[in-house]
Structure formats: C-alpha cells, structure tokens
Amino acid sequence: MNSKRNKAYLLGITLSILALTGCQSIKTVAFKTPVDTTTKAIHSQEKQTFNLKNDGVFVSNTFDAARLNGLEKINDSTAVVIINPENSPINNSAYYAFKTWSSSPKSFYFKFQYPEGYLHRYIPKLKINNQWSIIDSNHVYKTERSVTIKLNLTKSPIIVAAQEIQSSTDVKLWYTNLASANANYVSLKNVGKTTLGRNIPVLDIHKGDSKTKDVIVLITRQHPPEVTGYFAFQKFLETLLNNSDLSSRFLKQYHVIAFPIMNPDGVDLGHWRHNAGGVDTNRDWSLYKQPEVKQAVKYITKTLKKNDAKLILGLDFHSTYEDVFYTNKIRKETTLPDFITDWFKALEANIPNYKVNEKAANSTKPVSKGWFLYGHNSVGITYEIGDKTPKEDIKLIGRVSAEQMMQILLKNKH
Ligand SMILES: [Zn+2]
C-alpha cells in the first residue's frame, strides 16, 4: 500500500468512526418548561388471590394489566377494593383491574377506595364469558365520596376493569397479524427494550424505496389506561394498510413509522400513567432519560438520516374525558402549513353530525406534540379519544381520519 492510499484509507476509518459516534448522539430538544424525567421509585403491587373464606369469594390480580393493591372485607356481602397508583404525584387516571369469582352463585358488592386526593374516574367494564361490556348502571351506587358496584358472582371469573384490557400480549397479537398480512411492505422490528426487558415494537411501512420519502410517525399507549385512544390508533393503522387504491397510492409516496405500544411495562404492571421508571414518558421528549422515548427517537432519527428524509407529521393517540385534538398554534413555518385546517374540515364533511373539538396551544412541556414541532418543524397533534366514546364512534373517527389524511397528503404531492 503506498502512502497516498494509506492516508486515504486512514481518513476513511476516521470518517466512519465520526459517523458512528455521530449516530450515537441524538439531538435533544429544548422546552420552555423542562420536566425532570429522572427515574423514580415505583411501589410494586403484590400479585395474589384474596380468599374471603366464609363467603366463598375470591378476588385476584394475578394477570397482566391487573391493578388491585388490597382487599378488605366489610361484611359478608361487601368488600373494599384498595387501588393505589404506581407512585405520586400523578394524574387522576385511577385505573383498576381485578378478577373475581365465588364457589357458589351470589351477589357481592365492591367498594372502590383510592388514596386521598384521587377520585373514581372510569365506569367499570366487565369481561364475562370472554365478552366485554359496560356495567349495568343499576349496579353502580355512587355517593359524593365513593363508588360501589354489585356483581353476580359464579364459579366462572369476571374481570372488572377501568377499560378493556389490552396487555402487551394482546397488542402484540394484533400488530403481528397486521404486519404479517401485509408483509411485502410492512416490516416489524423492535427499537429496543424497556427497563423490565419488554420489547418496544415498531411497524415500518412503505411501498418501494424509502429514500427521501416524507415520514409520518404514529404513537400510542404512552399512558397505559388510555385504551380508547389505542382503539382509534388500531383503526387508523388498519385503514392505512387496507390495500385500497388510496392506501396503495399513499404508501408509494409516504413512509409511516408506527409505535403500537410505547409503554409496555406500564401497561402490563397496570400503571395509572407512568413507565417502570416511575416517569410520564410524555414529558421525556427533550432529554430522553427513559429507554422508551430514547430508543424511539433514535430509530426515527436514524431512519430519517439514512433516507435523507423529512418528518412531516406526528400523531400521538391518547384518551381523556372527551374527544379532542391538541394542536400547536405555530403552523405557517411548518412542513404542512395547511394540514390541520384541511384535515379538520374533511373530518366534519365526512363524519355525520361530527364537530371537531380542537384545543390549540404551543407545547411548553416536553410532550411528543412539541417534539414534532420544535425538533422537526413538523405538525404534531395529540389525538385524544374520550374515555366514554362508544367503540363504533371510535372506529368511524379512526377510519375517516386516516382516509382524509391520505387524501390531503396525496393532494399535496401534485
Ligand atoms: Zn395521555
């Protein structure tokens, strides 16, 4: 090897080392109101089956996504279910989930008890004979301070939960089927692992070459109990992958990166809001101190760089008290200045009797919506479904919002 070639060879090595270390560091994003997302302790719930001996009643939290911290008998037909969050302070997403049965048929009453300052939020959903339903309102007794429910117990267990259970195993079954049914253009990967070693999955979707294709990012389940938002995410993604002419044209032009469960530890531990690090991951989109956000951001960044592509739109699916789209006020300067106006107009035109509920404010705390804007100059939207929105309505909103997004983005290409 002559010295000239030698130098070029060394330069090549130096450049690839730089490129490698460059990949390791991901750009942080500054926010007006920083939030400390350093790992905090969580209280783990003891997994057990309570046996009210003289009554032949059993209550258990021995399944994924259960939340039941204690049980206290009041009399032979009533018990208190004690529900605590993983740590505090925490939002009032008072999630609960337990299983109950009896040795012989009987009516039994359960009174919910939360720590001081937290209130009953979710109407109980019941899983009986593998079928979910909302509890009969005649079996719910409310006072100003407490909620009690009546159940007709038998030997066959009933699951009582704040929302339908969608554990990491349930979610995996769904996205695995979806990915394999569309395997020629969906690749299913894991971006990394959570604190407790669960996979953080991603569906990477495009038809043909991904080079320079604009990217849309979809996220859900940062907050474990927000299952209605997850249902909208499911319908949204299923619509993008329904092999219609619209879907096919769209996926030839755009690249979708979808995270179907961002906080699997929190989901399976039955958390109210946080991950196994005791942190709200939707406050970590600045310095990425938690593994979930860090690895998702790393994957997005790497993909954009590799494809020389732009992130143009990010939708983060959640649930709250009502259907609402949280948007940023900054629009003109973004990659899609008219998208929000066009999209909301199209939703109202295509969903009967539907009125978009938009709340616009620029994110000051490190939430994903702000990360899309400040980190990528793109449109970020927190897509919220109401806790009580009926499933049929969620499916309709999920489908139409996906169809109209595709239509608008395709129009932009002309
Ligand atoms: Zn949320």
Side-chain angles (χ1 to χ4, degrees):
M1 207 184 273
N2 67 35
S3 75
K4 220 178 191 178
R5 271 173 67 190
N6 216 338
K7 259 184 205 158
Y9 174 70
L10 284 173
L11 184 68
I13 291 178
T14 321
L15 286 176
S16 30
I17 290 169
L18 281 174
L20 271 177
T21 46
C23 272
Q24 298 302 315
S25 66
I26 40 175
K27 190 178 74 180
T28 57
V29 175
F31 281 81
K32 207 185 250 173
T33 316
V35 175
D36 180 12
T37 53
T38 313
T39 297
K40 293 166 194 72
I42 55 167
H43 314 289
S44 57
Q45 62 181 327
E46 193 187 327
K47 291 284 186 178
Q48 57 190 305
T49 298
F50 299 90
N51 177 357
L52 300 177
K53 278 199 182 79
N54 300 329
D55 311 305
V57 171
F58 302 84
V59 187
S60 176
N61 63 3
T62 57
F63 59 97
D64 280 347
R67 168 93 353 201
L68 171 70
N69 300 86
L71 190 81
E72 271 169 22
K73 181 173 162 163
I74 296 183
N75 56 44
D76 58 10
S77 63
T78 311
V80 172
V81 291
I82 299 163
I83 307 292
N84 297 321
E86 57 275 20
N87 63 7
S88 59
I90 194 164
N91 271 45
N92 188 50
S93 312
Y95 176 85
Y96 54 86
F98 57 88
K99 198 159 66 174
T100 179
W101 66 97
S102 62
S103 45
S104 58
K106 71 182 295 178
S107 293
F108 204 80
Y109 295 83
F110 294 99
K111 186 180 174 188
F112 290 92
Q113 184 187 296
Y114 305 100
E116 187 71 38
Y118 297 101
L119 296 169
H120 187 81
R121 169 168 169 179
Y122 299 104
I123 300 168
K125 317 295 182 296
L126 307 180
K127 191 183 190 188
I128 303 171
N129 298 329
N130 237 7
Q131 200 59 40
W132 283 100
S133 61
I134 299 170
I135 195 169
D136 182 342
S137 57
N138 293 321
H139 292 179
V140 181
Y141 311 91
K142 280 185 193 166
T143 69
E144 215 172 282
R145 312 216 58 201
S146 74
V147 171
T148 301
I149 59 168
K150 178 186 167 186
L151 296 175
N152 296 320
L153 301 181
T154 66
K155 267 186 185 158
S156 158
I158 297 176
I159 292 180
V160 182
Q163 291 292 12
E164 278 186 35
I165 288 173
Q166 289 288 336
S167 70
S168 72
T169 308
D170 301 321
V171 175
K172 186 177 181 180
L173 185 65
W174 170 71
Y175 67 70
T176 307
N177 285 336
L178 189 65
S180 62
N182 300 288
N184 49 340
Y185 60 94
V186 178
S187 46
L188 175 58
K189 309 171 198 181
N190 292 308
V191 299
K193 286 198 188 291
T194 62
T195 303
L196 299 180
R198 288 184 179 82
N199 287 323
I200 305 160
V202 66
L203 285 81
D204 197 300
I205 306 157
H206 53 87
K207 288 194 167 171
D209 194 359
S210 57
K211 202 82 191 162
T212 71
K213 269 189 183 142
D214 288 340
V215 170
I216 294 112
V217 171
L218 309 175
I219 299 171
T220 193
R221 295 305 282 285
Q222 291 203 75
H223 298 146
E226 301 183 2
V227 174
T228 59
Y230 167 68
F231 289 152
F233 174 97
Q234 280 187 304
K235 195 66 199 176
F236 193 96
L237 193 57
E238 284 166 4
T239 307
L240 298 189
L241 302 180
N242 69 2
N243 294 305
S244 62
D245 172 58
L246 175 62
S247 147
S248 178
R249 282 187 291 131
F250 178 75
L251 295 175
K252 278 178 193 151
Q253 302 267 16
Y254 291 94
H255 180 175
V256 177
I257 298 177
F259 296 92
I261 183 162
M262 272 290 281
N263 178 10
D265 285 349
V267 166
D268 285 354
L269 295 177
H271 280 184
W272 286 20
R273 191 169 177 91
H274 298 161
N275 67 353
V279 164
D280 182 346
T281 62
N282 205 26
R283 298 293 179 271
D284 194 36
W285 293 82
S286 173
L287 303 178
Y288 326 124
K289 294 196 171 174
Q290 297 300 315
E292 294 84 359
V293 177
K294 185 179 183 172
Q295 291 170 107
V297 167
K298 214 174 198 173
Y299 182 81
I300 296 167
T301 308
K302 219 173 62 190
T303 307
L304 294 173
K305 207 178 247 177
K306 186 180 78 190
N307 294 327
D308 191 20
K310 271 201 314 268
L311 199 177
I312 56 160
L313 172 65
L315 301 177
D316 188 359
F317 292 73
H318 289 251
S319 308
T320 186
Y321 296 91
E322 54 176 2
D323 291 1
V324 55
F325 292 100
Y326 291 114
T327 57
N328 292 305
K329 278 191 170 163
I330 300 171
R331 310 256 160 112
K332 273 207 191 102
E333 303 82 349
T334 66
T335 45
L336 299 169
D338 302 316
F339 177 78
I340 291 174
T341 314
D342 294 348
W343 197 41
F344 290 167
K345 235 186 252 170
L347 294 188
E348 292 188 350
N350 288 282
I351 303 174
N353 308 315
Y354 180 76
K355 183 92 190 75
V356 168
N357 178 20
E358 181 192 6
K359 291 194 175 138
N362 297 324
S363 304
T364 61
K365 289 179 183 170
V367 300
S368 66
K369 171 170 86 78
W371 183 82
F372 290 121
L373 175 65
Y374 306 127
H376 292 272
N377 221 25
S378 65
V379 175
I381 301 174
T382 314
Y383 184 133
E384 302 263 7
I385 295 289
D387 293 334
K388 299 178 193 168
T389 304
K391 226 174 183 178
E392 285 315 304
D393 295 359
I394 300 174
K395 283 183 178 168
L396 182 62
I397 298 165
R399 175 176 62 77
V400 175
S401 60
E403 287 166 354
Q404 296 308 314
M405 177 198 76
M406 291 192 279
Q407 299 276 18
I408 292 164
L409 293 182
L410 280 172
K411 242 180 251 163
N412 282 357
K413 285 281 175 196
H414 293 298

